[in-house]
Amino acid sequence: MSSVLLAGLRIYARRAPRSASTAVSLLRHHGTRRTVSHTAVKGYPTNVPSLHQNKEGGEVADSAGVKPEHAVISTFDLFSIGVGPSSSHTVGPMRAGKIFITDLQELGLLDRVSASRLIRLLISPLTTRSLCRHHTPQAILLGLEGSDPETIDCGTIPSRYEAILTNKSLHLGGNRRIHFDMDRDMLWRWDEVLKTHPNGMRFSCFNGNGDLLATNEYFSVGGGFVVNDKTKVDENLFYKGVDKSIVHGARLHQTHQAEQGDAIHPSKDDDPGHPPYPFDSGNSLLAITRKHNLTIAQIVHDNERYFGLSEQDIHDKLMRIWAVMDGCIRTGVSTTERTLPGRLKLRRRAPMLYRRLMRGFYPGIGIPATHLIGPNSSTSAGAVDAPEGMRPSQDTEERSVSMPSGGRSRATIVTGSFDHAVLPMPPRRTNIPAVDFLSCYAIAVNEVNAAGGRIVTSPTNGAAGVIPAVLKYIVEFVSDDPERSIKTFLLTAGAVGMLFKRGSTISAAEGGCQAEVGVACSMASAGFAACMGASPETVLQAAEIGIEHNLGLTCDPIDGLVQVPCIERNSLGAVKAITAAQLSMASDGVYRVTLDEAIEAMRLTAADMSVKYKETSLSGLATTVKIPLTVPAC
């Protein structure tokens, strides 16, 4: 076999076998100048723990001993607009497909492609059916057709995918139409495991003679981030964009020559130095806040300026992220759809919850729709059920009392014997607005995500409801300056997310749900405390409490769907985030565990956690809950 290396892309000049075992050599993403990776080259660490088998002794050793010099990545890589239901299995694969096509276009190979073959190698969630439910095949193929998770019209995904299957035709990059047979050209190899990360995929393309033109492997490492197996030492591993030729050089390269905490601004736009305020831990971040008398949000803001953004750019991007979050909540509470897709036939709750709260924040949907409130409701338009309850009756022999509710009488049934030393408690409801609204907002977002709608990865799709719910609560109930609160919240939460991204993981395939809802809870706790004017030390303590009480949280989605327990878990994560922030502010600097120690504990917990609890649906609720045995087609 002979091959030539053109700008880092391995191009082949021999007839390639048309089997899944084709010998391949990796092309480096966007050429040698712009290669990214998730794995470590010599002297450069990974962002997450990995376990490697000792070939001689058979022992498993933790190889994540060295950490990066600083944790600073762009807030707009951590928060990005995407599509549901999964950042690892939907957003990442779609982005990988587009990256592969972009590579081929840049190197002039696209016009020579007559066939392509995709090999999806996935430990998590282990079954082809689960991948189908995550829309992974759709995401890969539409990415190859040039679609991007941020801009794709979510409503067109099913019809476009069906057209590919029916016509057996794939429109690469929107420019090159080739024959594509799903059964032959998309291979699912459960007997082969790619190194680097559980979520891996390999793309290969061929010319008309069957010669292998190019191939590459990509890894979806959580939060929509896609990386390659090879990298250059000075490149930012966590840039999330597709076409790196059009971005500011500082977002691709990082060096760390200056003293940490010194405000040094680059003299040239393409200076591959470091942001003005690099930090590698919560302690170093606190040191910078003290040295320069800056809040955490101000530090992150100034670091974004280094990435080539003006103050107006930062403002506009943050407002755009919030607009999508807020729009996602609105969609979730106003939809007329009754159930979520999938075999569970899970009923949507957000519309009912929102209407029962009687607070029409969104014009036009504040009046309850009676058919969504519940099967036993017959309220008229403009009215909702009052909280059910009863006062203890003077007549203990009376088992049923009538209470006025919307001008009607309703019998309240008390369960239990009245002829007993311990009398039964009458049914009643308490009104806790914060809990009610937080739950409604979080559930709304995650129901939109489960249905494949537009969401913001924050920091992942599975945990996308926590941060929008807490921020929505701040905007509606707390803030007197919403724009300032939005910017403060997102920038502060972003700083905490960066620490987790570099020091541990945000991928459930590596760390279980503690890496998703746990991290989102920690980020939201910090953002809430910052919006309440807390000191940077208190802000990071809120983040520590948020993650400390999510340590060990497993990922066991029933039927492989991002629905149960994921949706409710986001609701509880949002409530826990505010509780953690309130506790940190009330503690007034009295604490024993630091955020850095909690992040390290999470990293070790993730390394020790059984693979059964890492998004595989092999244990926990996924195995104890019985579901119908019908198998939907991809």
Side-chain angles (χ1 to χ4, degrees), residues 274-306:
H274 60 78
Y277 303 113
F279 53 87
D280 62 356
S281 64
N283 286 338
S284 63
L285 179 57
L286 284 179
I288 296 172
T289 65
R290 295 171 184 143
K291 180 176 182 179
H292 300 284
N293 190 29
L294 295 170
T295 67
I296 293 174
Q298 290 170 337
I299 288 171
V300 178
H301 178 278
D302 289 352
N303 285 340
E304 294 296 337
R305 291 291 307 276
Y306 176 79

Short mmCIF file of all heavy atoms in Angstrom, two decimals, residues 274-306:
data_model
loop_
_atom_site.label_atom_id
_atom_site.label_comp_id
_atom_site.label_asym_id
_atom_site.label_seq_id
_atom_site.Cartn_x
_atom_site.Cartn_y
_atom_site.Cartn_z
N HIS A 274 -1.60 32.74 26.40
CA HIS A 274 -2.63 32.29 27.32
C HIS A 274 -3.56 33.44 27.62
O HIS A 274 -3.21 34.61 27.44
CB HIS A 274 -2.00 31.74 28.59
CG HIS A 274 -1.17 32.76 29.32
ND1 HIS A 274 -1.74 33.74 30.10
CD2 HIS A 274 0.16 32.96 29.38
CE1 HIS A 274 -0.79 34.51 30.60
NE2 HIS A 274 0.37 34.05 30.17
N PRO A 275 -4.75 33.17 28.10
CA PRO A 275 -5.66 34.24 28.48
C PRO A 275 -5.07 35.08 29.61
O PRO A 275 -4.13 34.65 30.30
CB PRO A 275 -6.92 33.48 28.93
CG PRO A 275 -6.81 32.15 28.28
CD PRO A 275 -5.36 31.84 28.21
N PRO A 276 -5.62 36.26 29.86
CA PRO A 276 -5.02 37.14 30.87
C PRO A 276 -5.07 36.57 32.28
O PRO A 276 -4.20 36.87 33.09
CB PRO A 276 -5.86 38.42 30.77
CG PRO A 276 -7.13 38.01 30.09
CD PRO A 276 -6.74 36.91 29.16
N TYR A 277 -6.08 35.76 32.58
CA TYR A 277 -6.21 35.24 33.94
C TYR A 277 -6.35 33.72 33.93
O TYR A 277 -7.42 33.16 34.18
CB TYR A 277 -7.43 35.86 34.63
CG TYR A 277 -7.39 37.37 34.68
CD1 TYR A 277 -8.31 38.12 33.95
CD2 TYR A 277 -6.43 38.05 35.43
CE1 TYR A 277 -8.28 39.50 33.99
CE2 TYR A 277 -6.39 39.42 35.47
CZ TYR A 277 -7.31 40.15 34.74
OH TYR A 277 -7.27 41.52 34.78
N PRO A 278 -5.27 33.00 33.63
CA PRO A 278 -5.37 31.53 33.64
C PRO A 278 -5.48 31.00 35.06
O PRO A 278 -4.88 31.51 35.99
CB PRO A 278 -4.04 31.10 33.00
CG PRO A 278 -3.10 32.21 33.30
CD PRO A 278 -3.92 33.46 33.30
N PHE A 279 -6.30 29.99 35.23
CA PHE A 279 -6.43 29.35 36.54
C PHE A 279 -6.52 27.85 36.32
O PHE A 279 -7.04 27.38 35.32
CB PHE A 279 -7.66 29.87 37.30
CG PHE A 279 -8.96 29.80 36.54
CD1 PHE A 279 -9.75 28.65 36.55
CD2 PHE A 279 -9.39 30.89 35.80
CE1 PHE A 279 -10.94 28.60 35.84
CE2 PHE A 279 -10.59 30.85 35.10
CZ PHE A 279 -11.36 29.70 35.11
N ASP A 280 -6.01 27.10 37.26
CA ASP A 280 -6.01 25.64 37.12
C ASP A 280 -6.79 24.95 38.23
O ASP A 280 -6.90 23.73 38.26
CB ASP A 280 -4.58 25.08 37.09
CG ASP A 280 -3.81 25.36 38.37
OD1 ASP A 280 -4.36 26.05 39.26
OD2 ASP A 280 -2.67 24.90 38.48
N SER A 281 -7.34 25.73 39.17
CA SER A 281 -8.06 25.15 40.30
C SER A 281 -8.93 26.23 40.92
O SER A 281 -8.81 27.42 40.61
CB SER A 281 -7.07 24.61 41.35
OG SER A 281 -6.30 25.69 41.88
N GLY A 282 -9.79 25.80 41.81
CA GLY A 282 -10.60 26.77 42.53
C GLY A 282 -9.74 27.68 43.38
O GLY A 282 -10.01 28.89 43.48
N ASN A 283 -8.69 27.14 43.99
CA ASN A 283 -7.82 27.96 44.84
C ASN A 283 -7.09 29.02 44.02
O ASN A 283 -6.96 30.17 44.45
CB ASN A 283 -6.81 27.07 45.56
CG ASN A 283 -7.44 26.27 46.68
OD1 ASN A 283 -8.50 26.63 47.20
ND2 ASN A 283 -6.81 25.17 47.07
N SER A 284 -6.61 28.65 42.84
CA SER A 284 -5.91 29.64 42.02
C SER A 284 -6.88 30.68 41.48
O SER A 284 -6.54 31.85 41.32
CB SER A 284 -5.17 28.95 40.86
OG SER A 284 -6.08 28.29 40.00
N LEU A 285 -8.13 30.27 41.21
CA LEU A 285 -9.14 31.22 40.78
C LEU A 285 -9.42 32.23 41.89
O LEU A 285 -9.54 33.44 41.64
CB LEU A 285 -10.41 30.47 40.39
CG LEU A 285 -11.61 31.31 39.93
CD1 LEU A 285 -11.25 32.18 38.74
CD2 LEU A 285 -12.79 30.41 39.59
N LEU A 286 -9.53 31.75 43.12
CA LEU A 286 -9.73 32.67 44.25
C LEU A 286 -8.55 33.62 44.41
O LEU A 286 -8.72 34.81 44.71
CB LEU A 286 -9.92 31.88 45.54
CG LEU A 286 -11.28 31.20 45.74
CD1 LEU A 286 -11.29 30.43 47.06
CD2 LEU A 286 -12.39 32.24 45.73
N ALA A 287 -7.34 33.12 44.20
CA ALA A 287 -6.15 33.96 44.32
C ALA A 287 -6.19 35.10 43.31
O ALA A 287 -5.80 36.24 43.61
CB ALA A 287 -4.88 33.12 44.13
N ILE A 288 -6.67 34.82 42.11
CA ILE A 288 -6.76 35.86 41.08
C ILE A 288 -7.81 36.90 41.47
O ILE A 288 -7.60 38.11 41.28
CB ILE A 288 -7.10 35.23 39.72
CG1 ILE A 288 -5.96 34.31 39.27
CG2 ILE A 288 -7.32 36.32 38.67
CD1 ILE A 288 -6.29 33.50 38.04
N THR A 289 -8.94 36.45 42.00
CA THR A 289 -9.97 37.41 42.41
C THR A 289 -9.44 38.36 43.48
O THR A 289 -9.76 39.56 43.48
CB THR A 289 -11.22 36.70 42.94
OG1 THR A 289 -10.92 35.99 44.14
CG2 THR A 289 -11.78 35.74 41.89
N ARG A 290 -8.62 37.84 44.38
CA ARG A 290 -8.07 38.69 45.44
C ARG A 290 -6.98 39.61 44.91
O ARG A 290 -6.91 40.78 45.27
CB ARG A 290 -7.51 37.81 46.56
CG ARG A 290 -8.57 36.98 47.28
CD ARG A 290 -7.94 35.97 48.20
NE ARG A 290 -8.94 35.11 48.84
CZ ARG A 290 -8.76 33.83 49.09
NH1 ARG A 290 -7.61 33.25 48.75
NH2 ARG A 290 -9.70 33.12 49.66
N LYS A 291 -6.14 39.08 44.05
CA LYS A 291 -5.01 39.86 43.54
C LYS A 291 -5.47 41.03 42.70
O LYS A 291 -4.91 42.13 42.78
CB LYS A 291 -4.10 38.95 42.72
CG LYS A 291 -2.88 39.66 42.14
CD LYS A 291 -1.97 38.67 41.43
CE LYS A 291 -0.73 39.36 40.89
NZ LYS A 291 0.19 38.41 40.22
N HIS A 292 -6.51 40.83 41.89
CA HIS A 292 -6.95 41.87 40.96
C HIS A 292 -8.28 42.50 41.34
O HIS A 292 -8.79 43.35 40.60
CB HIS A 292 -7.05 41.29 39.55
CG HIS A 292 -5.75 40.73 39.04
ND1 HIS A 292 -4.73 41.54 38.58
CD2 HIS A 292 -5.30 39.45 38.92
CE1 HIS A 292 -3.71 40.78 38.19
NE2 HIS A 292 -4.03 39.51 38.40
N ASN A 293 -8.82 42.12 42.50
CA ASN A 293 -10.10 42.65 42.96
C ASN A 293 -11.17 42.52 41.88
O ASN A 293 -11.82 43.49 41.48
CB ASN A 293 -9.96 44.12 43.38
CG ASN A 293 -11.22 44.62 44.09
OD1 ASN A 293 -11.93 43.84 44.73
ND2 ASN A 293 -11.50 45.90 43.96
N LEU A 294 -11.35 41.30 41.40
CA LEU A 294 -12.33 41.01 40.36
C LEU A 294 -13.27 39.90 40.83
O LEU A 294 -12.88 39.05 41.64
CB LEU A 294 -11.63 40.55 39.07
CG LEU A 294 -10.75 41.57 38.36
CD1 LEU A 294 -9.95 40.88 37.25
CD2 LEU A 294 -11.58 42.70 37.78
N THR A 295 -14.48 39.91 40.32
CA THR A 295 -15.38 38.79 40.56
C THR A 295 -15.03 37.66 39.60
O THR A 295 -14.29 37.86 38.62
CB THR A 295 -16.85 39.19 40.34
OG1 THR A 295 -17.04 39.48 38.95
CG2 THR A 295 -17.21 40.40 41.17
N ILE A 296 -15.55 36.49 39.86
CA ILE A 296 -15.30 35.36 38.95
C ILE A 296 -15.86 35.64 37.58
O ILE A 296 -15.22 35.35 36.56
CB ILE A 296 -15.92 34.07 39.55
CG1 ILE A 296 -15.19 33.68 40.83
CG2 ILE A 296 -15.88 32.92 38.54
CD1 ILE A 296 -15.82 32.51 41.56
N ALA A 297 -17.04 36.26 37.51
CA ALA A 297 -17.63 36.60 36.22
C ALA A 297 -16.76 37.58 35.45
O ALA A 297 -16.61 37.47 34.23
CB ALA A 297 -19.03 37.17 36.43
N GLN A 298 -16.17 38.55 36.15
CA GLN A 298 -15.29 39.52 35.48
C GLN A 298 -14.03 38.85 34.94
O GLN A 298 -13.56 39.20 33.85
CB GLN A 298 -14.93 40.63 36.47
CG GLN A 298 -16.10 41.54 36.81
CD GLN A 298 -15.80 42.48 37.96
OE1 GLN A 298 -14.91 42.21 38.80
NE2 GLN A 298 -16.54 43.58 38.05
N ILE A 299 -13.51 37.90 35.67
CA ILE A 299 -12.32 37.17 35.21
C ILE A 299 -12.62 36.41 33.93
O ILE A 299 -11.88 36.47 32.95
CB ILE A 299 -11.82 36.22 36.32
CG1 ILE A 299 -11.18 37.04 37.45
CG2 ILE A 299 -10.82 35.21 35.76
CD1 ILE A 299 -10.87 36.22 38.68
N VAL A 300 -13.73 35.67 33.93
CA VAL A 300 -14.10 34.90 32.74
C VAL A 300 -14.39 35.84 31.57
O VAL A 300 -14.02 35.55 30.43
CB VAL A 300 -15.31 34.00 33.04
CG1 VAL A 300 -15.74 33.24 31.79
CG2 VAL A 300 -14.97 33.01 34.15
N HIS A 301 -15.03 36.96 31.84
CA HIS A 301 -15.32 37.94 30.78
C HIS A 301 -14.04 38.43 30.13
O HIS A 301 -13.92 38.48 28.89
CB HIS A 301 -16.09 39.11 31.38
CG HIS A 301 -16.40 40.21 30.41
ND1 HIS A 301 -15.46 41.20 30.08
CD2 HIS A 301 -17.51 40.49 29.67
CE1 HIS A 301 -16.00 42.03 29.21
NE2 HIS A 301 -17.23 41.62 28.93
N ASP A 302 -13.03 38.78 30.94
CA ASP A 302 -11.78 39.29 30.38
C ASP A 302 -11.03 38.20 29.63
O ASP A 302 -10.33 38.47 28.64
CB ASP A 302 -10.91 39.87 31.49
CG ASP A 302 -11.46 41.18 32.03
OD1 ASP A 302 -12.42 41.71 31.43
OD2 ASP A 302 -10.95 41.67 33.05
N ASN A 303 -11.14 36.96 30.08
CA ASN A 303 -10.54 35.86 29.33
C ASN A 303 -11.21 35.68 27.97
O ASN A 303 -10.55 35.36 26.97
CB ASN A 303 -10.62 34.56 30.13
CG ASN A 303 -9.62 34.50 31.26
OD1 ASN A 303 -8.62 35.23 31.26
ND2 ASN A 303 -9.88 33.66 32.25
N GLU A 304 -12.51 35.90 27.89
CA GLU A 304 -13.22 35.82 26.61
C GLU A 304 -12.73 36.90 25.65
O GLU A 304 -12.70 36.67 24.44
CB GLU A 304 -14.73 35.94 26.82
CG GLU A 304 -15.37 34.79 27.57
CD GLU A 304 -15.28 33.46 26.83
OE1 GLU A 304 -15.11 33.48 25.59
OE2 GLU A 304 -15.36 32.41 27.49
N ARG A 305 -12.37 38.06 26.19
CA ARG A 305 -11.84 39.11 25.33
C ARG A 305 -10.57 38.65 24.63
O ARG A 305 -10.30 39.00 23.48
CB ARG A 305 -11.54 40.37 26.16
CG ARG A 305 -12.75 41.10 26.72
CD ARG A 305 -13.56 41.76 25.62
NE ARG A 305 -12.77 42.61 24.77
CZ ARG A 305 -12.47 43.88 25.04
NH1 ARG A 305 -12.89 44.43 26.17
NH2 ARG A 305 -11.74 44.59 24.21
N TYR A 306 -9.79 37.84 25.33
CA TYR A 306 -8.57 37.30 24.73
C TYR A 306 -8.86 36.40 23.55
O TYR A 306 -8.05 36.27 22.64
CB TYR A 306 -7.78 36.54 25.80
CG TYR A 306 -6.55 35.86 25.26
CD1 TYR A 306 -5.39 36.58 25.03
CD2 TYR A 306 -6.57 34.50 24.97
CE1 TYR A 306 -4.25 35.96 24.52
CE2 TYR A 306 -5.44 33.88 24.46
CZ TYR A 306 -4.29 34.61 24.24
OH TYR A 306 -3.18 34.00 23.73
#
